[in-house]
Amino acid sequence: MAQVSINSDLGEWGLSTDSGERARLLQSPSVDIAPKSEGEAPPGGLGRGTTSTLGAIFIVVNACLGAGLLNFPAAFSTAGGVAAGITLQMAMLVFIISGLVILAYCSQASNERTYQEVVWAVCGKLTGVLCEVAIATYTFGTCIAFLIIIGDQQDKIIAVMAKEPEGAGGSPWYTDRKFTISLTAFLFILPLSIPREIGFQKYASFLSVVGTWYVTAIIIVKYIWPDKEMTPADILNRPASWIAVFNAMPTICFGFQCHVSSVPVFNSMQRPEVKTWGGVVTAAMVIALAVYMGTGICGFLTFGAAVDPDVLLSYPSEDMAVAVARAFIILSVLTSYPILHFCGRAVVEGLWLRYQGMPVEEDVGRERRRRVLQTLVWFLLTLLLALFIPDIGKVISVIGGLAACFIFVFPGLCLIQAKLSEMEEVKPASWWAMVSYGVLLVTLGAFIFGQTTANAIFVDLLA
């Protein structure tokens, strides 16, 4: 495989060798990768890892599945029914899988081990900085969504424990949503977010997988054997317009976005080959597709157009099986927030050190003070926004637009730049086909991001 030559020399952009610290950023919590240093990797490729092919499939599935599945029934409703939802997911899956393969190809060609390092090496400084800013923004928005999810599920659980109708007046102050979210965040999330390293990721990953599968199973069972009080509203059979179909794309992007953590997973494999990786991501995406389709179809058919953006909120509070699902989701989110915060904080730290021209090896005390300050600011901002943005659908829409950038835009740019550097080494027909596909990816991702951003700004202003 030809080596990518364009922008592969980081020194060309005035970066110090200390900026190689980016290799730590956003590595998959379940992946162990030996530090990269000169002489360790064999010529023409990255060093071998320890992850088997089956293990890589599990890690990618784990990275893909999460709290985003709660929004898929609403995405089917937005798209215009089951047929439109399935067609949209299947069409997008082709681009999603190709983006993962492109990232592996560019990682192998550029000899870089993380998503943002690949973008830096292949696309240059400006695109690299934009990528890191997008990662920080995405993780920040996802943390807000997690806090909203905690509040949504706690409201239902507290309503059962208090044995009072939801929304009833005169409820005790300690059952107020703002108080319960704040208390949970300060007691559990903040202490887990301050440490420099996070050592419980493997337990969080296992918990997330168990919770996701349980929620999917409950939604399917409740569709097959529905409760008497659950009657579906109108079941849409066709989309109201093409715009409605496109409005479902951000939710699908948010659900399938595992691209940022995919590069470290690829490099952790025993045989980090693009062909093998293609089989890994295809198998992983098919598994994720089955889970999302089961949740989306059954959740939508159970409630119809009246389904809530968070499908668990559509079920009665007193349903014990669903209450267990809510508890699983809360526990999963409680452990996932610190991981997302760690990733975002690492990106912010790298940008700050590079901007200041400071070396990574600095005084430990200064690093600790800066880390605590960054954590407190991040935590308080996400908490305040979560308290005053009760609709998770709006948050998912915005961060789904950013997810489209990671799935389409940056892989497309990497493909274009990689093929430009190989222009003299490949056949013109092949070169044009690859560059054209890269342009298609960038265009599609930019369209989803632009539409999402416009909706988030103008719809609220018009309302």
Side-chain angles (χ1 to χ4, degrees):
M1 180 178 294
Q3 296 293 313
V4 174
S5 58
I6 290 183
N7 301 327
S8 59
D9 183 7
L10 297 181
E12 173 186 342
W13 298 101
L15 298 175
S16 67
T17 55
D18 290 326
S19 65
E21 180 70 358
R22 292 195 316 277
R24 293 174 54 252
L25 310 183
L26 273 180
Q27 291 187 358
S28 171
S30 304
V31 177
D32 293 324
I33 303 177
K36 182 182 70 174
S37 61
E38 294 184 7
E40 284 188 3
L46 299 171
R48 290 182 180 272
T50 59
T51 305
S52 65
T53 300
L54 185 62
I57 293 173
F58 174 80
I59 294 172
V60 174
V61 171
N62 177 35
C64 182
L65 296 179
L69 89 144
L70 300 178
N71 307 101
F72 268 73
F76 272 73
S77 178
T78 301
V82 173
I86 292 176
T87 302
L88 182 61
Q89 284 194 68
M90 295 297 291
M92 293 185 66
L93 202 65
V94 175
F95 298 107
I96 290 169
I97 292 174
S98 67
L100 290 165
V101 174
I102 290 169
L103 289 169
Y105 168 78
C106 292
S107 172
Q108 194 172 66
S110 63
N111 201 35
E112 300 294 351
R113 293 178 178 266
T114 64
Y115 188 100
Q116 62 272 25
E117 278 203 325
V118 169
V119 176
W120 265 90
V122 177
C123 299
K125 179 179 180 180
L126 178 60
T127 307
V129 171
L130 289 175
C131 177
E132 292 186 331
V133 171
I135 290 174
T137 306
Y138 177 82
T139 53
F140 183 82
T142 306
C143 287
I144 296 173
F146 283 170
L147 291 172
I148 295 175
I149 290 172
I150 290 174
D152 289 343
Q153 309 312 323
Q154 283 180 333
D155 287 347
K156 290 283 189 176
I157 294 175
I158 291 173
V160 175
M161 296 177 63
K163 296 181 179 180
E164 294 180 359
E166 295 177 59
S171 299
W173 59 270
Y174 51 82
T175 63
D176 181 76
R177 177 189 178 91
K178 291 184 173 62
F179 175 77
T180 57
I181 295 177
S182 301
L183 181 65
T184 303
F186 275 100
L187 287 181
F188 298 102
I189 292 178
L190 182 58
L192 294 175
S193 300
I194 291 179
R196 182 175 183 177
E197 302 293 342
I198 301 177
F200 60 84
Q201 295 96 327
K202 57 183 178 181
Y203 305 109
S205 298
F206 175 76
L207 189 64
S208 178
V209 171
V210 172
T212 299
W213 283 96
Y214 179 81
V215 170
T216 300
I218 287 297
I219 291 174
I220 294 174
V221 168
K222 289 295 179 180
Y223 167 67
I224 299 174
W225 295 286
D227 296 336
K228 294 181 179 180
E229 61 270 21
M230 292 192 304
T231 56
D234 296 335
I235 303 295
L236 303 176
N237 295 318
R238 61 175 60 90
S241 65
W242 283 109
I243 298 299
V245 176
F246 293 135
N247 286 338
M249 285 184 173
T251 298
I252 296 174
C253 290
F254 178 66
F256 281 97
Q257 198 289 115
C258 57
H259 294 58
V260 173
S261 58
S262 70
V263 179
V265 179
F266 169 71
N267 291 308
S268 75
M269 293 178 62
Q270 294 171 352
R271 296 178 60 194
E273 299 173 357
V274 176
K275 184 177 180 179
T276 304
W277 178 248
V280 167
V281 296
T282 300
M285 291 302 104
V286 169
I287 295 172
L289 179 68
V291 175
Y292 283 137
M293 277 195 176
T295 305
I297 294 172
C298 294
F300 169 68
L301 293 178
T302 301
F303 300 103
V307 67
D308 195 275
D310 180 342
V311 66
L312 290 184
L313 298 185
S314 297
Y315 293 93
S317 299
E318 61 274 9
D319 191 315
M320 291 308 299
V322 178
V324 174
R326 294 189 180 106
F328 264 122
I329 291 296
I330 290 175
L331 289 174
S332 176
V333 168
L334 283 176
T335 52
S336 296
Y337 180 109
I339 295 173
L340 265 295
H341 162 70
F342 171 79
C343 296
R345 186 181 69 200
V347 172
V348 172
E349 176 78 352
L351 286 169
W352 173 256
L353 291 178
R354 194 180 306 112
Y355 175 75
Q356 294 291 323
M358 300 169 61
V360 175
E361 297 79 8
E362 60 173 328
D363 181 70
V364 176
R366 294 176 61 188
E367 183 278 329
R368 184 185 298 112
R369 287 192 297 270
R370 190 169 60 250
R371 170 166 41 89
V372 172
L373 178 61
Q374 290 170 353
T375 300
L376 288 174
V377 171
W378 182 289
F379 171 79
L380 291 175
L381 284 177
T382 56
L383 178 59
L384 286 173
L385 289 171
L387 294 180
F388 294 99
I389 305 177
D391 184 3
I392 190 175
K394 294 181 179 179
V395 180
I396 295 298
S397 178
V398 173
I399 58 181
L402 281 173
C405 294
F406 302 131
I407 295 173
F408 302 109
V409 176
F410 292 118
L413 290 174
C414 286
L415 180 62
I416 293 170
Q417 288 286 63
K419 289 304 172 182
L420 284 175
S421 69
E422 300 172 1
M423 187 168 57
E424 298 179 356
E425 304 175 22
V426 298
K427 296 179 180 179
S430 173
W431 183 85
W432 275 111
M434 288 298 179
V435 171
S436 298
Y437 188 73
V439 172
L440 176 61
L441 285 176
V442 173
T443 303
L444 180 59
F447 171 78
I448 297 173
F449 176 74
Q451 182 198 25
T452 302
T453 304
N455 286 342
I457 295 174
F458 294 112
V459 171
D460 287 342
L461 287 177
L462 292 175

